Amino acid sequence: MASERVIWLSEQRVGSSLVARIGRRGDDLLAEFPGTGVLTANLKSSRANFEPVRGANELAVKKINASLVTALLRHLRGGLTLHASATGIGESAVAFVGPSGSGKSTMAAALCARPDTQLVADDTIAFELDEDSFSTFDVDVSPTQAEAWLLPDALRFLGFQGDGSEKVPVSLRNPTKTRLSLRAIVGLVFDARAHQPTIRSLRGHEAFQLLSSSVIRFVIDDPAAQAREFEQLCRVAHSCKILELRRSRSLRDLDRSIELVGRLYYSRGIEEGDLL
Amino acid sequence: MTSLSIGPSDYVIICEGVSAREFDGEWIVLDLQGGNYFGLDDVGGHIWRAIGEGKSLSQIVASLRRNYDASEIELLKDVMLFIDELVERQLVRINRDVMDRPK
């Protein structure tokens, strides 16, 4: 009913700016992206509509449609999606999570400059977790985006043309079209005190916290959805390495970061000493 | 912190809507109502497992004494403080119903 009040249940801010919020209006679920559009759906996801705001930036509408809108509707159908970028080599993928501005897209784009590396995702990674195969060792991810959205300094550093101050989409060579096995999830952290990039394993609650903070959820007040997510995250955490990469904000650290991350594609049993 | 009236012969039960899994040697506890995850360290995990097995506080302390070098009184105090915190977070409750206790 159009006159019903919206109850906002969660919001995401970057600095002081509201970038997204999730709410309910009666039985409908709402996701609002201020200045860009509003997604409305019912719980069964049998009815869903993304309505761009009049005068919204076309590129922003396209980006949200290809990433967050798809991820939110996947969540309604029981799917697990993380806010992450990912790249692949052969049949293996590595994903990068972290807050907005932590360098997920830059890392993916920089890796894709290597001849053997393909883009799997720029903003959201979609897990393929079949309910009846929870005991299997691998978790797969499906390709979700074929473009990386980069800030001007990252664009120029990686040799692309670009100006202005906003992120712009860049088509990368060879976006993958097939499901890949996820080897590792890397939390990206900027650390002004880091003399050089370092990578370490996260265990237990620390690993779980990183995964949980990256989940894209449309239904956030349903215990059954919470329980399902718990099982899904347990499976992900058991099946692939969860790590943290600390580096300075300098793009000059990118080469060393890529060298560290590059090892993750080839070995499931990386020793702690190899990571540092 | 709540001020619980709890003694060594009391039993604690895990609240409905709380789910937990052992992962990498740590217990991850999910409160399905609030949607919050909690991590338990080695000792916390030991206590959580013992609660799940239906042990009384004194039985929990006895099992901890076999694994940790501390006096019974110290361990009992630590266990009570820990359970106090779990009760406050609504993850467990004291089982006052004698009929409902494990045989």
Side-chain angles (χ1 to χ4, degrees):
Chain A
M1 205 188 302
S3 61
E4 275 187 285
R5 227 177 109 226
V6 179
I7 298 168
W8 298 108
L9 299 171
S10 78
E11 61 178 37
Q12 190 196 344
R13 289 180 179 270
V14 174
S16 59
S17 303
L18 179 69
V19 293
R21 56 182 177 173
I22 302 285
R24 287 225 187 204
R25 185 175 57 205
D27 291 335
D28 278 351
L29 299 156
L30 276 86
E32 182 188 36
F33 306 94
T36 307
V38 179
L39 170 67
T40 312
N42 63 348
L43 264 173
K44 290 179 182 165
S45 153
S46 58
R47 175 170 51 77
N49 178 45
F50 180 67
E51 188 72 43
V53 169
R54 192 189 297 268
N57 180 314
E58 275 181 37
L59 283 178
V61 171
K62 183 182 161 199
K63 180 175 191 257
I64 282 178
N65 242 325
S67 57
L68 292 173
V69 167
T70 309
L72 291 167
L73 295 177
R74 257 188 115 242
H75 187 244
L76 286 187
R77 295 192 297 271
L80 176 69
T81 309
L82 296 190
H83 189 202
S85 67
T87 54
I89 296 178
E91 294 177 348
S92 303
V94 172
F96 305 96
V97 297
S100 291
S102 59
K104 298 185 289 293
S105 296
T106 302
M107 184 64 73
L111 279 159
C112 286
R114 294 159 36 137
D116 56 350
T117 310
Q118 297 179 298
L119 183 71
V120 179
D122 175 59
D123 198 38
T124 57
I125 55 165
F127 285 87
E128 302 295 342
L129 303 168
D130 305 323
E131 293 277 336
D132 53 356
S133 59
F134 261 28
S135 59
T136 59
F137 198 67
D138 285 336
V139 287
D140 288 353
V141 288
S142 287
T144 34
Q145 290 97 34
E147 293 171 322
W149 286 67
L150 300 172
L151 285 166
D153 59 341
L155 270 178
R156 287 189 292 272
F157 187 83
L158 295 168
F160 295 104
Q161 299 289 318
D163 48 25
S165 60
E166 301 289 317
K167 280 188 172 184
V168 291
V170 178
S171 292
L172 299 175
R173 193 178 44 222
N174 298 330
T176 185
K177 293 186 174 64
T178 55
R179 276 164 69 148
L180 300 179
S181 173
L182 191 65
R183 293 276 183 244
I185 297 173
V186 183
L188 298 178
V189 178
F190 283 128
D191 183 348
R193 294 164 303 172
H195 298 301
Q196 60 171 356
T198 55
I199 197 163
R200 71 178 179 105
S201 281
L202 300 183
R203 307 185 76 80
H205 186 241
E206 238 185 341
F208 226 83
Q209 198 68 21
L210 181 71
L211 295 181
S212 168
S213 65
S214 307
V215 174
I216 297 172
R217 306 175 180 96
F218 205 176
V219 187
I220 54 181
D221 55 353
D222 176 16
Q226 286 283 353
R228 183 184 65 223
E229 178 189 304
F230 191 32
E231 294 302 316
Q232 291 171 330
L233 291 182
C234 282
R235 184 172 170 207
V236 171
H238 275 115
S239 305
C240 61
K241 287 285 235 184
I242 315 291
L243 304 134
E244 180 189 81
L245 174 66
R246 282 186 175 266
R247 78 275 190 232
S248 74
R249 285 188 177 271
S250 169
L251 286 168
R252 284 192 299 272
D253 275 354
L254 209 47
D255 285 346
R256 172 67 180 149
S257 299
I258 286 166
E259 189 191 323
L260 289 171
V261 167
R263 301 180 196 173
L264 303 173
Y265 293 95
Y266 299 106
S267 168
R268 193 188 302 281
I270 294 164
E271 298 300 323
E272 192 72 18
D274 293 336
L275 300 174
L276 300 171
Chain B
M1 188 179 294
T2 57
S3 51
L4 282 175
S5 163
I6 182 171
S9 58
D10 277 327
Y11 289 80
V12 176
I13 51 178
I14 295 166
C15 291
E16 259 180 58
V18 173
S19 190
R21 292 278 292 266
E22 196 170 3
F23 168 60
D24 264 354
E26 277 186 31
W27 280 83
I28 309 292
V29 181
L30 168 64
D31 159 24
L32 292 171
Q33 297 303 319
N36 300 311
Y37 289 103
F38 302 95
L40 305 182
D41 64 10
D42 192 33
V43 181
H46 189 117
I47 298 170
W48 186 270
R49 192 184 300 113
I51 291 170
E53 289 166 0
K55 291 192 167 118
S56 69
L57 260 63
S58 58
Q59 288 169 327
I60 293 173
V61 169
S63 73
L64 281 170
R65 281 199 78 189
R66 287 194 284 273
N67 293 279
Y68 300 95
D69 183 23
S71 73
E72 189 173 342
I73 294 294
E74 273 177 304
L75 286 172
L76 185 61
K77 262 197 308 198
D78 287 348
V79 168
M80 282 179 167
L81 279 173
F82 179 68
I83 286 174
D84 200 11
E85 202 179 319
L86 294 180
V87 170
E88 195 173 50
R89 292 178 189 276
Q90 299 181 323
L91 299 175
V92 302
R93 62 187 171 83
I94 311 299
N95 186 6
R96 306 264 180 225
D97 185 352
V98 178
M99 299 301 288
D100 200 25
R101 286 181 179 176
K103 303 288 183 285

